[in-house]
Amino acid sequence: MTIKLITVGKIKEKYLSNGISEYAKRLSRYCKLDIVEISDEKIPDNAGEKQEEMVKVTEGQKILNHLKDGIYTIALCVEGKQLDSVELCETIDRLAVTGKSTIAFIIGGSVGLSDEVKSKADLKLSFSKFTFPHQLMRLILLEQIYRSFKITSNETYHK
């Protein structure tokens, strides 16, 4: 199985890079991990709704360029469905059994995902009602994907 992360922006903080590298290494036992970084659009500090929407649309087009037919797509967004770790594991397992060889997780930039990207998603997923920095979300997501593979493999992992 291939897990593809399509993310907006580069990781600038070393502690996040180190954590992401650690989970990428751990995941290599269970799947092929493909991380695609989309360049983020610059947005003024006092941007209005129209400017933010333009940024979402521009970043969204870049994201959509990396989505191919047949890839199951999960968009991370606040209005998505909340799953616990076991439910995420069951979702990934079900997709694998039904022949989905690639699952793409999409993490938007600082202003979120465009409506077009969300409409193309097979599943909209929310990790919390809290707002997380998109760079930190990449680390959190990788940890939960790793946890899913550990659960599936019936291997111990801290709770």
Side-chain angles (χ1 to χ4, degrees):
M1 169 172 279
T2 298
I3 300 292
K4 184 173 191 167
L5 264 61
I6 303 173
T7 64
V8 175
K10 294 195 178 294
I11 300 296
K12 297 175 182 110
E13 294 83 4
K14 188 156 181 64
Y15 73 97
L16 289 174
S17 294
N18 290 342
I20 290 165
S21 294
E22 176 62 27
Y23 281 105
K25 182 176 79 176
R26 291 181 186 194
L27 279 166
S28 67
R29 277 187 62 203
Y30 303 101
C31 65
K32 178 180 184 271
L33 179 64
D34 181 18
I35 299 177
V36 177
E37 289 183 340
I38 305 297
S39 61
D40 55 345
E41 294 295 308
K42 302 301 175 220
I43 184 164
D45 287 338
N46 298 325
E49 284 184 39
K50 285 186 179 183
Q51 288 173 305
E52 287 185 359
E53 189 60 32
M54 286 174 49
V55 167
K56 283 188 209 179
V57 168
T58 302
E59 291 174 349
Q61 285 304 312
K62 294 177 190 179
I63 291 167
L64 292 171
N65 289 338
H66 290 276
L67 291 178
K68 307 291 183 235
D69 290 339
I71 293 177
Y72 190 89
T73 304
I74 300 174
L76 275 63
C77 49
V78 72
E79 69 273 17
K81 182 177 181 178
Q82 290 187 1
L83 303 176
D84 63 27
S85 296
V86 172
E87 290 170 323
L88 178 61
C89 169
E90 291 168 346
T91 299
I92 292 172
D93 286 350
R94 179 178 41 80
L95 292 169
V97 168
T98 58
K100 295 292 181 186
S101 61
T102 302
I103 301 171
F105 289 87
I106 302 170
I107 301 173
S110 60
V111 293
L113 292 170
S114 70
D115 289 338
E116 187 175 6
V117 169
K118 290 188 234 180
S119 72
K120 299 270 188 206
D122 297 295
L123 172 65
K124 291 188 264 294
L125 180 64
S126 172
F127 271 64
S128 171
K129 290 182 180 182
F130 287 120
T131 300
F132 294 104
H134 56 285
Q135 296 94 346
L136 178 59
M137 196 64 232
R138 190 183 313 185
L139 176 60
I140 294 169
L141 174 61
L142 286 174
E143 189 281 333
Q144 284 298 301
I145 294 169
Y146 175 70
R147 184 179 296 274
S148 293
F149 281 108
K150 294 291 277 187
I151 292 168
T152 295
S153 300
N154 214 14
E155 299 171 356
T156 55
Y157 186 61
H158 62 84
K159 292 184 180 182

